[in-house]
Amino acid sequence: MATEDKNRATAAAILPLVGGAANVSSIAHCMTRLRLGLHDRSLVDDEALKALPAVMGVVEDDTYQIVLGPGTVARVTPEFEQLVEEGREAAPPQAAVSSDDLAAQGAAIKAQQKAKNATPFKLFLRKIANIFVPLIPALIGCGIIAGLNGLLVNLGRLPAVTPALAAMASGFMALIAVFVGYNTAKEFGGTPILGGAVAAIIVFPGVANIDAFGQTLSPGQGGVLGALGAAVLAVYVEKWCRRWVPEALDVLVTPTLTVLISGLATIFGLMYVAGEISSAIGTFADWLLSNGGAGAGFVLGGLFLPLVMLGLHQALIPIHTTLIEQQGYTVLLPILAMAGAGQVGAAMAVYFRLPRNESIRRTIKSALPAGLLGVGEPLIYGVSLPLGRPFITACVGGAFGGGFVGLFNQLGDTVGSTAIGPSGWALFPLLDGNHGLGSTIAIYGAGLLVGYVAGFLATYFFGFSKDLLTEFNVSQDPAPSTVTATGGPHPSPDTGTGTDTGTGTGRANGPDSPDSTDPGSPEKAPVRV
């Protein structure tokens, strides 16, 4: 305990001398140095830092480096990271903007939902998402290259180039377990490279010479789930070692024991267990869509927007990644993408049902391009959710679109995505299936059309009560104003930005975004039904 107090005291002494938590943009450490990314170098007090008993010196490079010595730096860094996080959470919130317009109501609802999402289970899911979200750019890039390579192979074009494209597309997936292990250790407070080192055991070809539970292991067995479990175990082993290994021996003993203990547990336990779980996930997904594709698609497509609001969609990210690793694509994402189609259809219906409300119509026109690309939050928090019923009818549109795609899966025409992240029109380059690219694109495109039409019809005929129409089908912004909504392809439909600067301002960056602003209490911003 005395050692922990000393390390925390060192971190607490360093933090104000580098400009406080708000001035720290990144934190890392090597064998001897605490490496900090800083927003404003002029806020650092070099002389005071050098005078601290625990600091051996400072070095200015691409990062600001504080020399603490081997062993000490590994113990001080987690304390420093915790203090920075606490400092950011304690920072004064952005001043709220009071308004009665829909964008402000949406921001209030989102802020309220964010507070509800701060449960231990949902915070754990957020950690899982933080592990996989940084991998999405590589998944997208490699997925598109894989699609291009498949197209060239089917057409018989550029035979000298396709092997190189195959290597580019497959290289990342062959080592994805290493990246998952690295990110997992980083997210759970361990040394990232040790997490990567333990996870690398899973993909090492030499494991084929090892027997466990009466079976010969195979490289990659357990996949990303095994890598995640191995890295979490490595973090706990590392923290256990830090508690009793003398600082003078820490740099030698702790990494060795971390890799040894976690590695043995991975080889003779986790790889087998995770492999069985991964196989079960793939088998269940295939069975579900083969036997009840239409019904399953209807339920998944209809419930995805509420899952996004609750933050529970993050639990699907490892499942998507596991399916991509096993089968080359995830059959769930195209179905879930239909939720965005229902949202677009609902927004278009709102546009036509409220011809006199210039403010809402401008919001829809500016947010619709982002919605078509799968970025649904500007429409969700700027239009449908504050109105109430249109959010429900948007879910109906997503359900019909999901049921349509699920039906074709049930009939044997599998529609999948080679990467997670994009949806809407942005998903077309990543589509793959078992009956050729043309058939896959046609089914997915038709599913989007069904989602648009169903969301539009459900909202147009059932999305408004008489009182709602009376209240909102009037000019609410006679003065000129500017409404903007920006967005692009992203890991999930709960991202994007919608801003209405007419009678008020609402900003929407996702249910988990730290930039959400609450323009008022829920009593001041009721959901309309």
Side-chain angles (χ1 to χ4, degrees):
M1 182 63 67
T3 301
E4 292 180 4
D5 291 342
K6 181 184 72 172
N7 294 328
R8 189 169 184 86
T10 300
I14 291 174
L15 183 57
L17 300 180
V18 296
N23 196 38
V24 178
S25 61
S26 65
I27 305 170
H29 75 85
C30 58
M31 188 174 294
T32 61
R33 302 177 184 181
L34 173 63
R35 298 171 178 262
L36 305 178
L38 302 173
H39 295 296
D40 187 352
R41 172 64 181 81
S42 65
L43 298 179
V44 178
D45 190 339
D46 297 282
E47 298 305 317
L49 275 171
K50 294 176 184 177
L52 292 178
V55 175
M56 302 177 183
V58 297
V59 177
E60 186 167 358
D61 201 345
D62 54 339
T63 58
Y64 190 80
Q65 303 169 18
I66 303 172
V67 183
L68 298 174
T72 301
V73 69
R75 290 171 165 80
V76 171
T77 299
E79 301 290 347
F80 187 86
E81 290 175 334
Q82 185 176 353
L83 289 173
V84 169
E85 186 65 24
E86 292 172 357
R88 289 170 178 168
E89 291 176 354
Q94 185 176 350
V97 180
S98 178
S99 173
D100 291 329
D101 84 344
L102 287 182
Q105 293 182 31
I109 295 168
K110 190 177 76 169
Q112 182 184 15
Q113 191 61 52
K114 179 184 175 183
K116 291 180 180 179
N117 283 344
T119 64
F121 176 67
K122 292 176 182 177
L123 291 175
F124 172 77
L125 290 182
R126 194 177 303 173
K127 279 183 175 289
I128 299 300
N130 290 341
I131 292 167
F132 288 92
V133 166
L135 306 179
I136 288 176
L139 285 169
I140 293 173
C142 295
I144 292 177
I145 293 173
L148 175 62
N149 182 64
L151 180 63
L152 291 174
V153 170
N154 292 335
L155 295 176
R157 303 290 181 85
L158 302 176
V161 176
T162 51
L165 293 178
M168 296 176 198
S170 303
F172 172 73
M173 291 306 302
L175 296 175
I176 190 172
V178 179
F179 295 98
V180 169
Y182 183 95
N183 287 347
T184 300
K186 181 179 180 180
E187 186 65 27
F188 281 83
T191 301
I193 199 64
L194 292 179
V198 175
I201 297 170
I202 292 174
V203 295
F204 177 59
V207 297
N209 301 320
I210 302 172
D211 291 332
F213 297 96
Q215 297 181 6
T216 300
L217 297 177
S218 58
Q221 185 173 339
V224 296
L225 297 182
L228 194 156
V232 170
L233 178 60
V235 170
Y236 282 102
V237 172
E238 181 186 359
K239 290 181 177 179
W240 171 71
C241 290
R242 301 280 185 211
R243 288 199 293 267
W244 62 271
V245 174
E247 290 188 10
L249 299 175
D250 181 84
V251 70
L252 297 175
V253 175
T254 298
T256 304
L257 290 180
T258 298
V259 175
L260 179 62
I261 296 173
S262 305
L264 289 173
T266 299
I267 292 171
F268 293 106
L270 283 175
M271 285 186 67
Y272 175 81
V273 174
E276 293 298 307
I277 294 174
S278 297
S279 298
I281 289 174
T283 301
F284 178 73
D286 291 339
W287 175 86
L288 181 65
L289 294 180
S290 297
N291 293 276
F298 191 90
V299 173
L300 291 172
L303 292 181
F304 188 64
L305 288 180
L307 286 178
V308 169
M309 284 189 58
L310 295 172
L312 299 179
H313 66 293
Q314 295 168 340
L316 298 172
I317 296 177
I319 296 175
H320 287 312
T321 309
T322 298
L323 292 174
I324 292 171
E325 192 177 34
Q326 285 181 349
Q327 304 174 359
Y329 49 77
T330 168
V331 293
L332 297 180
L333 186 60
I335 291 175
L336 299 176
M338 296 300 119
Q343 179 63 56
V344 168
M348 290 190 289
V350 172
Y351 184 88
F352 286 105
R353 289 290 272 164
L354 302 178
R356 298 177 183 175
N357 194 314
E358 301 89 349
S359 177
I360 293 178
R361 285 163 67 92
R362 277 196 304 273
T363 299
I364 293 171
K365 284 192 293 185
S366 59
L368 202 56
L372 291 171
L373 290 173
V375 183
E377 192 187 63
L379 292 175
I380 293 174
Y381 289 103
V383 181
S384 65
L385 187 58
L387 287 171
R389 284 193 187 182
F391 179 77
I392 298 174
T393 52
C395 294
V396 172
F400 276 94
F404 180 88
V405 176
L407 175 62
F408 277 87
N409 277 276
Q410 187 174 348
L411 296 176
D413 286 316
T414 301
V415 178
S417 170
T418 57
I420 56 177
S423 60
W425 292 4
L427 195 61
F428 278 108
L430 296 167
L431 292 176
D432 196 3
N434 62 348
H435 280 78
L437 187 59
S439 173
T440 303
I441 290 176
I443 294 171
Y444 178 74
L448 287 178
L449 183 61
V450 170
Y452 296 152
V453 173
F456 180 90
L457 293 177
T459 305
Y460 193 89
F461 291 106
F462 304 106
F464 291 89
S465 64
K466 290 183 179 179
D467 291 340
L468 196 65
L469 278 176
T470 301
E471 180 178 358
F472 282 95
N473 192 25
V474 293
S475 178
Q476 296 193 357
D477 185 19
S481 63
T482 302
V483 183
T484 61
T486 61
H490 199 273
S492 64
D494 61 325
T495 53
T497 302
T499 307
D500 183 343
T501 56
T503 57
T505 301
R507 182 175 178 183
N509 289 329
D512 301 325
S513 168
D515 297 326
S516 300
T517 55
D518 186 349
S521 65
E523 291 76 17
K524 294 182 180 179
V527 176
R528 308 294 185 181
V529 294

